[in-house]
Amino acid sequence: MIAKTMRQFLAEHPEMKYIFFGGKGGVGKTVMAGTTALWLARQGKHTLLASTNPVHSLSGLLDQNVFGAPTPVRGVPNLLAYEIDTKDTIARSKVELTEKIQWFLKYADIKTRADEFVESATMNPAFEESAMFENMIDLMFEDKYEAYVFDTAPTANARRLLGMTSVYSMWVNKMVQSREEAKSLRELLSYSKKEEKDPLMEYLLNLRVRMERAKRLLTDDQRTAFFFVTLPEALPIAVIKRFINWFQDFGIPVGGVVVNMLIDKAAVGEDAPEFVRNRIAMQENYMEEIWRSFPDVRALLPLFETEVRGTEMLERMAQHLFA
């Protein structure tokens, strides 16, 4: 039994501003994010629907190109959609990284080229995730919209993306400590007492301030909520069981669980094909597990007769998600 619906949850959190949807691949995260963004825009909130999934789907969902820049969604005032392009961020990061490494090599009197370090660092797949995270928190810091709805990558990626504040914070604190020790030793061994600029330390301190601010936003349960989407099937349920605890451990507020693609037993009737009756029986079994496992189920969404695509279908979906 649903104790509190999606609509009631949001009504009790009037300051809610950053809403994330995650779950196993193929469960309908993009549809839920699009539906929620459309509903918020219809409530009069200036809303941005953004995709942090490297394999974007928003353009397909909305049937218009929203890649690379916030783009007004046709027919829906107050709503913009944006598939984040990390290309520019990666290029800018390469330049900044090159400058810092060049400065460090000169500072340490090491005769080697910075390019080799930069190329090896930026070839790492984590570099793109880091760039995506930078873009995401840039959007949050700009604070141009009244509501942000993020369509995240499948849960393992979302976990890494949102967990970056903690990982970054630990890394930066260790780097700052090492940097201070190295600087102190260098000053002891130097004849010159002239104070030198330290761009690497400035960068680390700025990054620490930025991460602390991001962490405050992502762990604020009045402004941020992460919703998990599942199907009444074994694998999606197992995925969110595992990851809900992880999100709670990192202090990221979990808003609840949304169950998608339920077959309406009443609509198919008693003489439905055996295949359909078997699927219904399977879903009923897994619904029992969902009720036992998740106390905060917010909505049950039907399997429609056609795919959910375009704002007209999102409107239909919103009638169920925000019933």
Side-chain angles (χ1 to χ4, degrees):
M1 185 66 69
I2 294 175
K4 195 174 292 176
T5 65
M6 196 80 170
R7 182 191 285 266
Q8 289 169 328
F9 176 85
L10 292 181
E12 289 181 3
H13 297 79
E15 296 177 28
M16 188 58 63
K17 190 164 187 171
Y18 309 107
I19 297 175
F20 295 82
F21 283 93
K24 187 178 176 300
V27 296
K29 299 182 294 295
T30 305
V31 168
M32 297 306 156
T35 302
T36 302
L38 179 139
W39 186 82
L40 290 169
R42 293 293 193 212
Q43 308 308 303
K45 286 183 181 285
H46 190 41
T47 303
L48 179 68
L49 168 63
S51 167
T52 63
N53 190 339
V55 185
H56 297 299
S57 302
L58 289 185
S59 291
L61 175 73
L62 300 169
D63 202 20
Q64 68 177 95
N65 183 13
V66 298
F67 181 75
T71 306
V73 175
R74 287 194 295 263
V76 187
N78 289 324
L79 179 59
L80 291 89
Y82 177 23
E83 291 177 340
I84 297 172
D85 180 10
T86 57
K87 187 176 60 189
D88 290 343
T89 307
I90 290 175
R92 191 170 61 248
S93 297
K94 276 187 176 183
V95 173
E96 291 174 356
L97 191 59
T98 303
E99 289 172 355
K100 289 177 182 63
I101 290 177
Q102 281 174 336
W103 178 88
F104 175 76
L105 293 175
K106 185 178 174 185
Y107 176 86
D109 198 23
I110 297 173
K111 309 292 184 196
T112 189
R113 287 162 53 89
D115 301 4
E116 296 168 8
F117 288 97
V118 174
E119 282 306 313
S120 61
T122 55
M123 289 294 286
N124 189 325
F127 200 78
E128 184 170 0
E129 281 186 5
S130 173
M132 186 65 80
F133 178 76
E134 291 288 326
N135 283 113
M136 185 186 81
I137 60 174
D138 278 347
L139 285 174
M140 295 170 75
F141 289 173
E142 281 174 5
D143 203 22
K144 287 173 61 177
Y145 301 89
E146 294 173 280
Y148 294 78
V149 182
F150 290 99
D151 171 28
T152 71
T155 299
N157 298 68
R159 163 190 158 163
R160 286 202 298 273
L161 193 70
L162 299 184
M164 276 185 178
T165 51
S166 298
V167 176
Y168 262 133
S169 296
M170 287 188 285
W171 178 79
V172 169
N173 286 337
K174 284 191 178 299
M175 287 293 290
V176 167
Q177 184 184 354
S178 300
R179 192 80 198 118
E180 284 173 340
E181 290 170 359
K183 188 179 176 188
S184 174
L185 184 61
R186 183 181 172 89
E187 286 171 354
L188 279 174
L189 297 175
S190 173
Y191 290 111
S192 172
K193 298 302 175 191
K194 184 181 173 185
E195 190 167 337
E196 293 183 53
K197 280 191 70 174
D198 189 342
L200 192 55
M201 181 65 96
E202 287 175 16
Y203 167 78
L204 290 171
L205 293 176
N206 286 337
L207 184 58
R208 184 159 69 181
V209 170
R210 189 172 161 81
M211 286 305 107
E212 285 170 353
R213 186 180 172 197
K215 191 169 186 176
R216 279 199 301 276
L217 285 180
L218 288 171
T219 57
D220 183 342
D221 63 5
Q222 296 304 305
R223 289 192 288 174
T224 299
F226 194 101
F227 292 91
F228 286 92
V229 184
T230 187
L231 307 182
E233 295 178 8
L235 294 183
I237 293 171
V239 165
I240 63 174
K241 271 185 184 175
R242 194 161 62 245
F243 284 103
I244 280 180
N245 290 335
W246 184 91
F247 275 74
Q248 289 170 337
D249 287 346
F250 272 74
I252 298 168
V254 175
V257 171
V258 174
V259 184
N260 193 19
M261 297 188 194
L262 274 167
I263 300 172
D264 183 354
K265 188 177 178 180
V268 298
E270 293 295 326
D271 55 350
E274 184 180 1
F275 164 78
V276 177
R277 285 187 275 115
N278 286 342
R279 296 292 298 187
I280 290 172
M282 181 199 75
Q283 290 194 344
E284 287 176 342
N285 285 335
Y286 283 119
M287 279 309 301
E288 289 177 12
E289 184 177 350
I290 286 171
W291 294 124
R292 280 197 307 271
S293 305
F294 308 119
D296 297 324
V297 176
R298 302 290 179 215
L300 308 178
L301 283 303
L303 176 65
F304 286 99
E305 73 285 358
T306 183
E307 66 177 327
V308 178
R309 191 175 177 205
T311 54
E312 195 173 322
M313 282 302 293
L314 292 180
E315 298 276 11
R316 278 184 70 187
M317 185 65 99
Q319 292 172 15
H320 295 272
L321 185 56
F322 295 96

